[in-house]
Amino acid sequence: QKEVEQDPGPLSVPEGAIVSLNCTYSNSAFQYFMWYRQYSRKGPELLMYTYSSGNKEDGRFTAQVDKSSKYISLFIRDSQPSDSATYLCAMSALIKAAGNKLTFGGGTRVLVKP
Amino acid sequence: DTAVSQTPKYLVTQMGNDKSIKCEQNLGHDTMYWYKQDSKKFLKIMFSYNNKELIINETVPNRFSPKSPDKAHLNLHINSLELGDSAVYFCASSQDGRSPLHFGNGTRLTVT
């Protein structure tokens, strides 16, 4: 069993719908949680960064962390075709102050249809 | 104004060859990384350097040798390339151990 599980999709939604993505994890030491977006043939681009449990909102994006359930979510409101990409969750436990060792999920491919 | 840049973008080579990938960041970050993304899209850390000092060294064959001439550059040299080394290699940087990573656009390595 992988440390971070993420449904690979694809997740297909109509334009304007809410996209709901999630990851589960097994390592209770994880404290820092991130969501990245990756377009084809590009590098991962940071979308959201949260520390510990709670919600964080940035524009159309909302990230939620539930450490008690070891479950994180990303919601994308008013989805656009340009949101079509692979979404990767990532998390880390602060072990070495000088290096952030991220553990990634395998990514969920999202397709927003016009 | 690319923040993290890698060269080359594509690398096709034969088994047994030695190759290098270069990475530079202009974000002023102290920490740089190499990650490998396999065909199933999983990203796994290989190395991390902080101010030219090796901080993280995962279970990577010693054919892979990172080198950091200064804190803005982190290169990856690979000796005796094998078919299984085919993957996309991403360079990344972060301000410190608590900060999120910023990634380059990757080097797609194909070993034939």
Side-chain angles (χ1 to χ4, degrees), chain A residues 49-100:
Chain A
Y49 174 58
T50 54
Y51 170 69
S52 196
S53 285
N55 294 355
K56 184 175 182 179
E57 189 173 318
D58 184 1
R60 296 185 297 115
F61 299 93
T62 299
Q64 292 183 349
V65 174
D66 182 349
K67 289 188 69 179
S68 62
S69 302
K70 297 190 180 69
Y71 186 91
I72 69 170
S73 302
L74 177 72
F75 300 96
I76 309 173
R77 290 182 298 280
D78 188 24
S79 58
Q80 305 294 312
S82 59
D83 294 326
S84 298
T86 296
Y87 290 79
L88 302 158
C89 64
M91 46 200 80
S92 69
L94 182 60
I95 299 173
K96 292 177 184 289
N100 193 348

Side-chain angles (χ1 to χ4, degrees), chain A:
Chain A
Q1 185 182 4
K2 293 193 184 300
E3 239 180 332
V4 179
E5 298 278 0
Q6 188 175 6
D7 188 327
L11 177 63
S12 183
V13 300
E15 183 176 355
I18 294 176
V19 176
S20 176
L21 303 166
N22 58 75
C23 288
T24 58
Y25 62 94
S26 57
N27 187 347
S28 58
F30 287 145
Q31 302 179 60
Y32 302 90
F33 304 91
M34 282 141 273
W35 285 96
Y36 285 84
R37 177 175 63 196
Q38 186 174 22
Y39 291 113
S40 180
R41 308 254 169 185
K42 294 290 187 181
E45 171 193 7
L46 179 69
L47 288 176
M48 300 290 280
Y49 174 58
T50 54
Y51 170 69
S52 196
S53 285
N55 294 355
K56 184 175 182 179
E57 189 173 318
D58 184 1
R60 296 185 297 115
F61 299 93
T62 299
Q64 292 183 349
V65 174
D66 182 349
K67 289 188 69 179
S68 62
S69 302
K70 297 190 180 69
Y71 186 91
I72 69 170
S73 302
L74 177 72
F75 300 96
I76 309 173
R77 290 182 298 280
D78 188 24
S79 58
Q80 305 294 312
S82 59
D83 294 326
S84 298
T86 296
Y87 290 79
L88 302 158
C89 64
M91 46 200 80
S92 69
L94 182 60
I95 299 173
K96 292 177 184 289
N100 193 348
K101 178 183 170 184
L102 294 184
T103 301
F104 280 85
T108 299
R109 193 158 69 91
V110 172
L111 179 61
V112 181
K113 295 185 175 179

